[in-house]
Amino acid sequence: MARILIVDDEESVGEALRQVFEYEGHRVHLCVNGPSGLIDYPDFDPDVTFLDVKLPKMDGIEVLERIRGEDPGAVVIMISGHGTIGTAVQATRKGAFDFLEKPLDTNRLLVTLRNALMVRGLSDSVERLTHEIEIHHGIVGGSRAIRQVLQDIEKVGATDAPVLITGENGTGKELTARALHRRSTRADRRFVEVNCAAIPSELIESELFGHVKGSFTGAVADRMGKFEQADRGTLFLDEVGDMSLPAQAKVLRALQGGDITPVGGAKPVSVDVRVITATNKDLFDLIDRGEFREDLLHRLNMVTIRVPALRERTEDIRMLVKHFAELTPGLYGVPSKRFSEGALEALEEPDWPGNVRQLKNAVARLMILSSGDAVQRRDVTELVSPGAADIGVPGSMMALETLNEFKEAAEKSFIAGKLRDYDWNVSEAARRMGMPRSNLYKKIERHGLTRE
């Protein structure tokens, strides 16, 4: 249980904060002005203080200075109904832990409080709040970089603004899109996902807009497209940079007029869809190369959220490892295991080019293959670190009779692995493997590979 001091002259705000924090099991003390806050601070000895900027009798910034002067380790979070960048910068320079704008959102409050309690070392409270936050967001982390993503979700989620999510493979772009949907007024409607890279260019229009019976070979019945399926909900276009130019033109028309026309159809269909897109590519570079429409980009990136790579938020690795270690037994049927301090230190060392997804797979592998009831540093070194011991060719492949059979099995395994590495972004996987995308599609079909 943490002690939380709230200094705010608005009774409604103070009582609302009291209810939120007391519900989480914390002890709360309210003060209505700066002088009373300064008087009560030493006796109450709070773990975290929420301090309004505009207060009667004494300005909140001055109160902050005095608190920090008496207690240099004080964790103070400033709140304001008239927040400006200048005020936030000033508060940060004076030692504020964070700066929140009114109206205060419950999820944002819990995220901020959790991060503050981590600084104070109150592990039990952090664990409770982490669980609560993960239920609401599905996003794990307390770093400044991930806090910025959470702030953006809180601000943008409730609007209908189109959002472009950028970031490397494995950073959590889809998770961010789903969090935006849950935060929106459309949360009770469908969230429809389309991976633009996993659909052949000749089929993407049918996938997005549907088709009528007989419009092309294989169209044996009318089919509703993703835009229509997402009506009054959210359509998530993942890897939008891989969409063909003809499909881009149709998407642009749909966003401009709110109407879509199925392939082979003559009558437009009205749809009300919020579009969220994601890419791991530089769309401005694609525009310069004539591969992406500039007018479509302007429609898609009213707001851009950049999801940081794991190497930019290494302080989150321990929290992520704990989270994945709790999930792994239920996913793979393995016993629970703790991670030793040495193992955690070793997991913090790599750059993790595959980002959070790669770390998640590494945690699962360690829990499956390591001996004992705890994962040790040597397990990390042997099983997941760069340069780990060669595990050799699987026995099932060595049991094959002919070289051709071995080559086929090896090719299938190699392609399946690359597709997983790049989240079934066929274009990117083909580029990395040095083969035309059309050839890769043929090999996917020949080997009967499907996305898990």
mmCIF file of all heavy atoms in Angstrom, residues 9-53:
data_model
loop_
_atom_site.group_PDB
_atom_site.id
_atom_site.type_symbol
_atom_site.label_atom_id
_atom_site.label_comp_id
_atom_site.label_asym_id
_atom_site.label_seq_id
_atom_site.Cartn_x
_atom_site.Cartn_y
_atom_site.Cartn_z
ATOM 1 N N ASP A 9 -7.040 22.391 -5.466
ATOM 2 C CA ASP A 9 -8.109 23.203 -4.891
ATOM 3 C C ASP A 9 -9.491 22.859 -5.448
ATOM 4 O O ASP A 9 -10.501 23.335 -4.935
ATOM 5 C CB ASP A 9 -7.830 24.693 -5.113
ATOM 6 C CG ASP A 9 -7.756 25.052 -6.588
ATOM 7 O OD1 ASP A 9 -7.150 24.271 -7.351
ATOM 8 O OD2 ASP A 9 -8.294 26.097 -6.978
ATOM 9 N N GLU A 10 -9.549 22.039 -6.499
ATOM 10 C CA GLU A 10 -10.841 21.605 -7.040
ATOM 11 C C GLU A 10 -11.302 20.358 -6.296
ATOM 12 O O GLU A 10 -10.711 19.284 -6.436
ATOM 13 C CB GLU A 10 -10.733 21.316 -8.538
ATOM 14 C CG GLU A 10 -10.452 22.530 -9.400
ATOM 15 C CD GLU A 10 -10.475 22.192 -10.877
ATOM 16 O OE1 GLU A 10 -11.515 21.706 -11.366
ATOM 17 O OE2 GLU A 10 -9.444 22.402 -11.548
ATOM 18 N N GLU A 11 -12.372 20.502 -5.521
ATOM 19 C CA GLU A 11 -12.843 19.395 -4.692
ATOM 20 C C GLU A 11 -13.210 18.172 -5.528
ATOM 21 O O GLU A 11 -12.914 17.040 -5.144
ATOM 22 C CB GLU A 11 -14.064 19.847 -3.880
ATOM 23 C CG GLU A 11 -14.568 18.782 -2.914
ATOM 24 C CD GLU A 11 -15.747 19.277 -2.088
ATOM 25 O OE1 GLU A 11 -16.041 20.489 -2.145
ATOM 26 O OE2 GLU A 11 -16.379 18.447 -1.407
ATOM 27 N N SER A 12 -13.837 18.410 -6.690
ATOM 28 C CA SER A 12 -14.273 17.287 -7.531
ATOM 29 C C SER A 12 -13.073 16.484 -8.037
ATOM 30 O O SER A 12 -13.121 15.258 -8.106
ATOM 31 C CB SER A 12 -15.099 17.794 -8.714
ATOM 32 O OG SER A 12 -14.335 18.690 -9.516
ATOM 33 N N VAL A 13 -11.992 17.192 -8.392
ATOM 34 C CA VAL A 13 -10.792 16.510 -8.873
ATOM 35 C C VAL A 13 -10.148 15.705 -7.752
ATOM 36 O O VAL A 13 -9.787 14.538 -7.922
ATOM 37 C CB VAL A 13 -9.781 17.525 -9.455
ATOM 38 C CG1 VAL A 13 -8.463 16.834 -9.803
ATOM 39 C CG2 VAL A 13 -10.357 18.209 -10.675
ATOM 40 N N GLY A 14 -10.024 16.325 -6.579
ATOM 41 C CA GLY A 14 -9.418 15.638 -5.448
ATOM 42 C C GLY A 14 -10.173 14.382 -5.057
ATOM 43 O O GLY A 14 -9.578 13.329 -4.801
ATOM 44 N N GLU A 15 -11.500 14.477 -5.016
ATOM 45 C CA GLU A 15 -12.310 13.318 -4.627
ATOM 46 C C GLU A 15 -12.250 12.213 -5.684
ATOM 47 O O GLU A 15 -12.254 11.021 -5.359
ATOM 48 C CB GLU A 15 -13.764 13.747 -4.395
ATOM 49 C CG GLU A 15 -13.974 14.514 -3.110
ATOM 50 C CD GLU A 15 -13.567 13.701 -1.883
ATOM 51 O OE1 GLU A 15 -13.738 12.466 -1.885
ATOM 52 O OE2 GLU A 15 -13.047 14.306 -0.928
ATOM 53 N N ALA A 16 -12.212 12.614 -6.958
ATOM 54 C CA ALA A 16 -12.111 11.621 -8.034
ATOM 55 C C ALA A 16 -10.797 10.855 -7.937
ATOM 56 O O ALA A 16 -10.765 9.626 -8.072
ATOM 57 C CB ALA A 16 -12.236 12.308 -9.392
ATOM 58 N N LEU A 17 -9.706 11.585 -7.693
ATOM 59 C CA LEU A 17 -8.407 10.936 -7.537
ATOM 60 C C LEU A 17 -8.388 10.033 -6.306
ATOM 61 O O LEU A 17 -7.841 8.927 -6.340
ATOM 62 C CB LEU A 17 -7.304 11.987 -7.428
ATOM 63 C CG LEU A 17 -6.996 12.793 -8.698
ATOM 64 C CD1 LEU A 17 -5.986 13.892 -8.393
ATOM 65 C CD2 LEU A 17 -6.465 11.886 -9.789
ATOM 66 N N ARG A 18 -9.000 10.504 -5.211
ATOM 67 C CA ARG A 18 -9.061 9.690 -3.998
ATOM 68 C C ARG A 18 -9.757 8.349 -4.285
ATOM 69 O O ARG A 18 -9.273 7.290 -3.896
ATOM 70 C CB ARG A 18 -9.819 10.437 -2.890
ATOM 71 C CG ARG A 18 -9.869 9.630 -1.578
ATOM 72 C CD ARG A 18 -11.059 10.035 -0.729
ATOM 73 N NE ARG A 18 -10.928 11.367 -0.190
ATOM 74 C CZ ARG A 18 -10.321 11.658 0.959
ATOM 75 N NH1 ARG A 18 -9.777 10.689 1.672
ATOM 76 N NH2 ARG A 18 -10.276 12.896 1.408
ATOM 77 N N GLN A 19 -10.892 8.412 -4.990
ATOM 78 C CA GLN A 19 -11.641 7.183 -5.280
ATOM 79 C C GLN A 19 -10.816 6.208 -6.117
ATOM 80 O O GLN A 19 -10.802 5.004 -5.846
ATOM 81 C CB GLN A 19 -12.943 7.535 -6.012
ATOM 82 C CG GLN A 19 -13.964 8.239 -5.146
ATOM 83 C CD GLN A 19 -15.224 8.599 -5.910
ATOM 84 O OE1 GLN A 19 -15.499 8.031 -6.964
ATOM 85 N NE2 GLN A 19 -15.978 9.556 -5.387
ATOM 86 N N VAL A 20 -10.124 6.740 -7.146
ATOM 87 C CA VAL A 20 -9.316 5.872 -8.015
ATOM 88 C C VAL A 20 -8.218 5.191 -7.215
ATOM 89 O O VAL A 20 -8.021 3.966 -7.294
ATOM 90 C CB VAL A 20 -8.703 6.682 -9.179
ATOM 91 C CG1 VAL A 20 -7.679 5.841 -9.941
ATOM 92 C CG2 VAL A 20 -9.797 7.153 -10.133
ATOM 93 N N PHE A 21 -7.488 5.965 -6.416
ATOM 94 C CA PHE A 21 -6.323 5.421 -5.719
ATOM 95 C C PHE A 21 -6.722 4.545 -4.519
ATOM 96 O O PHE A 21 -6.066 3.538 -4.236
ATOM 97 C CB PHE A 21 -5.398 6.547 -5.275
ATOM 98 C CG PHE A 21 -4.809 7.336 -6.418
ATOM 99 C CD1 PHE A 21 -4.627 8.706 -6.331
ATOM 100 C CD2 PHE A 21 -4.465 6.704 -7.596
ATOM 101 C CE1 PHE A 21 -4.084 9.430 -7.387
ATOM 102 C CE2 PHE A 21 -3.928 7.416 -8.658
ATOM 103 C CZ PHE A 21 -3.746 8.786 -8.556
ATOM 104 N N GLU A 22 -7.785 4.923 -3.815
ATOM 105 C CA GLU A 22 -8.220 4.094 -2.695
ATOM 106 C C GLU A 22 -8.777 2.762 -3.189
ATOM 107 O O GLU A 22 -8.645 1.738 -2.528
ATOM 108 C CB GLU A 22 -9.265 4.838 -1.857
ATOM 109 C CG GLU A 22 -8.659 5.944 -1.002
ATOM 110 C CD GLU A 22 -9.667 6.594 -0.074
ATOM 111 O OE1 GLU A 22 -10.895 6.376 -0.280
ATOM 112 O OE2 GLU A 22 -9.246 7.316 0.848
ATOM 113 N N TYR A 23 -9.405 2.774 -4.355
ATOM 114 C CA TYR A 23 -9.893 1.530 -4.948
ATOM 115 C C TYR A 23 -8.734 0.570 -5.219
ATOM 116 O O TYR A 23 -8.888 -0.649 -5.125
ATOM 117 C CB TYR A 23 -10.639 1.823 -6.246
ATOM 118 C CG TYR A 23 -11.182 0.583 -6.939
ATOM 119 C CD1 TYR A 23 -12.353 -0.016 -6.499
ATOM 120 C CD2 TYR A 23 -10.513 0.017 -8.022
ATOM 121 C CE1 TYR A 23 -12.849 -1.163 -7.110
ATOM 122 C CE2 TYR A 23 -10.995 -1.126 -8.644
ATOM 123 C CZ TYR A 23 -12.175 -1.712 -8.184
ATOM 124 O OH TYR A 23 -12.652 -2.833 -8.794
ATOM 125 N N GLU A 24 -7.555 1.136 -5.544
ATOM 126 C CA GLU A 24 -6.364 0.311 -5.784
ATOM 127 C C GLU A 24 -5.668 -0.089 -4.487
ATOM 128 O O GLU A 24 -4.629 -0.741 -4.512
ATOM 129 C CB GLU A 24 -5.372 1.077 -6.670
ATOM 130 C CG GLU A 24 -5.870 1.356 -8.077
ATOM 131 C CD GLU A 24 -6.112 0.086 -8.865
ATOM 132 O OE1 GLU A 24 -5.374 -0.901 -8.645
ATOM 133 O OE2 GLU A 24 -7.046 0.070 -9.682
ATOM 134 N N GLY A 25 -6.239 0.331 -3.336
ATOM 135 C CA GLY A 25 -5.701 -0.103 -2.049
ATOM 136 C C GLY A 25 -4.698 0.839 -1.423
ATOM 137 O O GLY A 25 -3.997 0.458 -0.471
ATOM 138 N N HIS A 26 -4.604 2.085 -1.918
ATOM 139 C CA HIS A 26 -3.619 3.019 -1.392
ATOM 140 C C HIS A 26 -4.231 3.953 -0.344
ATOM 141 O O HIS A 26 -5.449 4.167 -0.303
ATOM 142 C CB HIS A 26 -3.025 3.853 -2.536
ATOM 143 C CG HIS A 26 -2.397 3.018 -3.613
ATOM 144 N ND1 HIS A 26 -1.350 2.161 -3.373
ATOM 145 C CD2 HIS A 26 -2.678 2.892 -4.942
ATOM 146 C CE1 HIS A 26 -1.010 1.544 -4.491
ATOM 147 N NE2 HIS A 26 -1.805 1.970 -5.456
ATOM 148 N N ARG A 27 -3.382 4.522 0.481
ATOM 149 C CA ARG A 27 -3.813 5.508 1.483
ATOM 150 C C ARG A 27 -3.661 6.899 0.881
ATOM 151 O O ARG A 27 -2.585 7.235 0.354
ATOM 152 C CB ARG A 27 -2.948 5.362 2.732
ATOM 153 C CG ARG A 27 -3.346 6.285 3.865
ATOM 154 C CD ARG A 27 -2.410 6.100 5.046
ATOM 155 N NE ARG A 27 -2.592 7.126 6.047
ATOM 156 C CZ ARG A 27 -1.729 7.363 7.031
ATOM 157 N NH1 ARG A 27 -0.627 6.630 7.114
ATOM 158 N NH2 ARG A 27 -1.962 8.305 7.920
ATOM 159 N N VAL A 28 -4.704 7.710 0.952
ATOM 160 C CA VAL A 28 -4.725 9.007 0.270
ATOM 161 C C VAL A 28 -4.993 10.119 1.279
ATOM 162 O O VAL A 28 -5.839 9.985 2.175
ATOM 163 C CB VAL A 28 -5.818 9.036 -0.823
ATOM 164 C CG1 VAL A 28 -5.842 10.391 -1.531
ATOM 165 C CG2 VAL A 28 -5.587 7.907 -1.839
ATOM 166 N N HIS A 29 -4.280 11.238 1.104
ATOM 167 C CA HIS A 29 -4.494 12.432 1.927
ATOM 168 C C HIS A 29 -4.678 13.631 0.995
ATOM 169 O O HIS A 29 -3.896 13.819 0.057
ATOM 170 C CB HIS A 29 -3.311 12.667 2.866
ATOM 171 C CG HIS A 29 -3.466 13.862 3.745
ATOM 172 N ND1 HIS A 29 -4.373 13.909 4.790
ATOM 173 C CD2 HIS A 29 -2.848 15.085 3.723
ATOM 174 C CE1 HIS A 29 -4.302 15.086 5.385
ATOM 175 N NE2 HIS A 29 -3.386 15.828 4.756
ATOM 176 N N LEU A 30 -5.727 14.447 1.244
ATOM 177 C CA LEU A 30 -6.043 15.595 0.390
ATOM 178 C C LEU A 30 -5.676 16.907 1.068
ATOM 179 O O LEU A 30 -5.894 17.091 2.271
ATOM 180 C CB LEU A 30 -7.541 15.622 0.054
ATOM 181 C CG LEU A 30 -8.104 14.494 -0.809
ATOM 182 C CD1 LEU A 30 -9.603 14.685 -0.989
ATOM 183 C CD2 LEU A 30 -7.418 14.466 -2.154
ATOM 184 N N CYS A 31 -5.156 17.845 0.258
ATOM 185 C CA CYS A 31 -4.928 19.227 0.688
ATOM 186 C C CYS A 31 -5.468 20.159 -0.392
ATOM 187 O O CYS A 31 -5.369 19.842 -1.583
ATOM 188 C CB CYS A 31 -3.443 19.509 0.907
ATOM 189 S SG CYS A 31 -2.727 18.594 2.294
ATOM 190 N N VAL A 32 -6.023 21.304 0.017
ATOM 191 C CA VAL A 32 -6.696 22.175 -0.952
ATOM 192 C C VAL A 32 -5.846 23.374 -1.378
ATOM 193 O O VAL A 32 -6.263 24.148 -2.239
ATOM 194 C CB VAL A 32 -8.044 22.682 -0.399
ATOM 195 C CG1 VAL A 32 -9.009 21.516 -0.211
ATOM 196 C CG2 VAL A 32 -7.844 23.439 0.924
ATOM 197 N N ASN A 33 -4.654 23.532 -0.798
ATOM 198 C CA ASN A 33 -3.779 24.623 -1.232
ATOM 199 C C ASN A 33 -2.327 24.283 -0.909
ATOM 200 O O ASN A 33 -2.033 23.302 -0.209
ATOM 201 C CB ASN A 33 -4.186 25.963 -0.597
ATOM 202 C CG ASN A 33 -4.197 25.911 0.918
ATOM 203 O OD1 ASN A 33 -3.221 25.484 1.548
ATOM 204 N ND2 ASN A 33 -5.313 26.319 1.520
ATOM 205 N N GLY A 34 -1.430 25.109 -1.429
ATOM 206 C CA GLY A 34 -0.006 24.856 -1.268
ATOM 207 C C GLY A 34 0.487 24.867 0.153
ATOM 208 O O GLY A 34 1.197 23.930 0.577
ATOM 209 N N PRO A 35 0.174 25.907 0.957
ATOM 210 C CA PRO A 35 0.673 25.945 2.340
ATOM 211 C C PRO A 35 0.245 24.723 3.158
ATOM 212 O O PRO A 35 1.057 24.157 3.908
ATOM 213 C CB PRO A 35 0.053 27.230 2.895
ATOM 214 C CG PRO A 35 -0.092 28.113 1.690
ATOM 215 C CD PRO A 35 -0.458 27.178 0.571
ATOM 216 N N SER A 36 -1.022 24.293 3.026
ATOM 217 C CA SER A 36 -1.457 23.125 3.796
ATOM 218 C C SER A 36 -0.738 21.867 3.310
ATOM 219 O O SER A 36 -0.430 20.960 4.096
ATOM 220 C CB SER A 36 -2.974 22.938 3.685
ATOM 221 O OG SER A 36 -3.372 22.652 2.348
ATOM 222 N N GLY A 37 -0.454 21.792 2.000
ATOM 223 C CA GLY A 37 0.298 20.665 1.471
ATOM 224 C C GLY A 37 1.699 20.598 2.055
ATOM 225 O O GLY A 37 2.192 19.514 2.400
ATOM 226 N N LEU A 38 2.357 21.765 2.149
ATOM 227 C CA LEU A 38 3.707 21.812 2.707
ATOM 228 C C LEU A 38 3.714 21.454 4.189
ATOM 229 O O LEU A 38 4.656 20.813 4.687
ATOM 230 C CB LEU A 38 4.303 23.204 2.498
ATOM 231 C CG LEU A 38 4.651 23.574 1.048
ATOM 232 C CD1 LEU A 38 5.046 25.040 0.959
ATOM 233 C CD2 LEU A 38 5.770 22.682 0.521
ATOM 234 N N ILE A 39 2.658 21.854 4.910
ATOM 235 C CA ILE A 39 2.570 21.549 6.353
ATOM 236 C C ILE A 39 2.361 20.050 6.563
ATOM 237 O O ILE A 39 2.986 19.434 7.433
ATOM 238 C CB ILE A 39 1.415 22.357 6.999
ATOM 239 C CG1 ILE A 39 1.769 23.850 7.014
ATOM 240 C CG2 ILE A 39 1.143 21.860 8.414
ATOM 241 C CD1 ILE A 39 0.619 24.751 7.423
ATOM 242 N N ASP A 40 1.460 19.449 5.753
ATOM 243 C CA ASP A 40 1.111 18.041 5.961
ATOM 244 C C ASP A 40 2.143 17.073 5.366
ATOM 245 O O ASP A 40 2.180 15.899 5.751
ATOM 246 C CB ASP A 40 -0.256 17.743 5.334
ATOM 247 C CG ASP A 40 -1.392 18.442 6.076
ATOM 248 O OD1 ASP A 40 -1.133 19.029 7.142
ATOM 249 O OD2 ASP A 40 -2.543 18.405 5.576
ATOM 250 N N TYR A 41 2.963 17.557 4.433
ATOM 251 C CA TYR A 41 3.886 16.664 3.723
ATOM 252 C C TYR A 41 4.821 15.891 4.668
ATOM 253 O O TYR A 41 4.926 14.657 4.558
ATOM 254 C CB TYR A 41 4.711 17.461 2.703
ATOM 255 C CG TYR A 41 5.604 16.586 1.843
ATOM 256 C CD1 TYR A 41 5.164 16.088 0.625
ATOM 257 C CD2 TYR A 41 6.890 16.237 2.254
ATOM 258 C CE1 TYR A 41 5.971 15.265 -0.155
ATOM 259 C CE2 TYR A 41 7.705 15.417 1.493
ATOM 260 C CZ TYR A 41 7.244 14.941 0.286
ATOM 261 O OH TYR A 41 8.032 14.122 -0.479
ATOM 262 N N PRO A 42 5.505 16.556 5.626
ATOM 263 C CA PRO A 42 6.459 15.794 6.477
ATOM 264 C C PRO A 42 5.771 14.742 7.334
ATOM 265 O O PRO A 42 6.308 13.647 7.516
ATOM 266 C CB PRO A 42 7.105 16.888 7.340
ATOM 267 C CG PRO A 42 6.834 18.164 6.627
ATOM 268 C CD PRO A 42 5.522 17.989 5.936
ATOM 269 N N ASP A 43 4.573 15.081 7.865
ATOM 270 C CA ASP A 43 3.879 14.136 8.741
ATOM 271 C C ASP A 43 3.321 12.949 7.957
ATOM 272 O O ASP A 43 3.399 11.802 8.409
ATOM 273 C CB ASP A 43 2.746 14.837 9.497
ATOM 274 C CG ASP A 43 3.275 15.869 10.485
ATOM 275 O OD1 ASP A 43 4.406 15.687 10.971
ATOM 276 O OD2 ASP A 43 2.551 16.849 10.757
ATOM 277 N N PHE A 44 2.745 13.225 6.774
ATOM 278 C CA PHE A 44 2.143 12.146 5.994
ATOM 279 C C PHE A 44 3.215 11.325 5.284
ATOM 280 O O PHE A 44 3.042 10.136 5.051
ATOM 281 C CB PHE A 44 1.167 12.736 4.968
ATOM 282 C CG PHE A 44 0.397 11.706 4.188
ATOM 283 C CD1 PHE A 44 -0.473 10.837 4.824
ATOM 284 C CD2 PHE A 44 0.552 11.597 2.816
ATOM 285 C CE1 PHE A 44 -1.187 9.881 4.107
ATOM 286 C CE2 PHE A 44 -0.148 10.656 2.082
ATOM 287 C CZ PHE A 44 -1.027 9.794 2.741
ATOM 288 N N ASP A 45 4.337 11.974 4.941
ATOM 289 C CA ASP A 45 5.476 11.312 4.289
ATOM 290 C C ASP A 45 5.023 10.490 3.073
ATOM 291 O O ASP A 45 5.161 9.266 3.044
ATOM 292 C CB ASP A 45 6.198 10.411 5.293
ATOM 293 C CG ASP A 45 7.513 9.852 4.734
ATOM 294 O OD1 ASP A 45 8.074 10.491 3.814
ATOM 295 O OD2 ASP A 45 7.952 8.788 5.200
ATOM 296 N N PRO A 46 4.494 11.153 2.044
ATOM 297 C CA PRO A 46 3.921 10.417 0.908
ATOM 298 C C PRO A 46 4.987 9.731 0.060
ATOM 299 O O PRO A 46 6.126 10.191 -0.030
ATOM 300 C CB PRO A 46 3.218 11.514 0.106
ATOM 301 C CG PRO A 46 4.001 12.752 0.404
ATOM 302 C CD PRO A 46 4.422 12.613 1.852
ATOM 303 N N ASP A 47 4.578 8.639 -0.574
ATOM 304 C CA ASP A 47 5.437 7.990 -1.569
ATOM 305 C C ASP A 47 5.350 8.737 -2.903
ATOM 306 O O ASP A 47 6.345 8.835 -3.626
ATOM 307 C CB ASP A 47 5.013 6.532 -1.764
ATOM 308 C CG ASP A 47 5.183 5.717 -0.500
ATOM 309 O OD1 ASP A 47 6.333 5.613 -0.031
ATOM 310 O OD2 ASP A 47 4.185 5.210 0.016
ATOM 311 N N VAL A 48 4.170 9.242 -3.219
ATOM 312 C CA VAL A 48 3.946 9.986 -4.464
ATOM 313 C C VAL A 48 3.017 11.153 -4.156
ATOM 314 O O VAL A 48 2.056 11.013 -3.397
ATOM 315 C CB VAL A 48 3.305 9.096 -5.555
ATOM 316 C CG1 VAL A 48 3.080 9.896 -6.840
ATOM 317 C CG2 VAL A 48 4.175 7.879 -5.842
ATOM 318 N N THR A 49 3.316 12.315 -4.762
ATOM 319 C CA THR A 49 2.476 13.499 -4.600
ATOM 320 C C THR A 49 1.925 13.932 -5.949
ATOM 321 O O THR A 49 2.688 14.065 -6.917
ATOM 322 C CB THR A 49 3.275 14.661 -3.976
ATOM 323 O OG1 THR A 49 3.766 14.270 -2.699
ATOM 324 C CG2 THR A 49 2.410 15.914 -3.835
ATOM 325 N N PHE A 50 0.606 14.154 -6.007
ATOM 326 C CA PHE A 50 -0.028 14.749 -7.188
ATOM 327 C C PHE A 50 -0.326 16.207 -6.848
ATOM 328 O O PHE A 50 -1.098 16.499 -5.922
ATOM 329 C CB PHE A 50 -1.318 14.000 -7.547
ATOM 330 C CG PHE A 50 -1.070 12.669 -8.200
ATOM 331 C CD1 PHE A 50 -0.785 11.547 -7.436
ATOM 332 C CD2 PHE A 50 -1.112 12.533 -9.574
ATOM 333 C CE1 PHE A 50 -0.542 10.310 -8.026
ATOM 334 C CE2 PHE A 50 -0.862 11.311 -10.189
ATOM 335 C CZ PHE A 50 -0.581 10.197 -9.413
ATOM 336 N N LEU A 51 0.285 17.121 -7.620
ATOM 337 C CA LEU A 51 0.273 18.546 -7.274
ATOM 338 C C LEU A 51 -0.258 19.376 -8.426
ATOM 339 O O LEU A 51 0.286 19.328 -9.539
ATOM 340 C CB LEU A 51 1.705 18.970 -6.905
ATOM 341 C CG LEU A 51 1.971 20.448 -6.630
ATOM 342 C CD1 LEU A 51 1.164 20.941 -5.432
ATOM 343 C CD2 LEU A 51 3.463 20.668 -6.382
ATOM 344 N N ASP A 52 -1.332 20.140 -8.165
ATOM 345 C CA ASP A 52 -1.895 21.012 -9.191
ATOM 346 C C ASP A 52 -0.967 22.206 -9.419
ATOM 347 O O ASP A 52 -0.308 22.688 -8.496
ATOM 348 C CB ASP A 52 -3.281 21.501 -8.746
ATOM 349 C CG ASP A 52 -4.063 22.125 -9.886
ATOM 350 O OD1 ASP A 52 -3.634 21.984 -11.051
ATOM 351 O OD2 ASP A 52 -5.097 22.748 -9.625
ATOM 352 N N VAL A 53 -0.913 22.676 -10.674
ATOM 353 C CA VAL A 53 -0.060 23.822 -11.003
ATOM 354 C C VAL A 53 -0.669 25.123 -10.491
ATOM 355 O O VAL A 53 0.000 25.949 -9.873
ATOM 356 C CB VAL A 53 0.180 23.900 -12.526
ATOM 357 C CG1 VAL A 53 0.907 25.196 -12.890
ATOM 358 C CG2 VAL A 53 0.990 22.696 -13.005
#
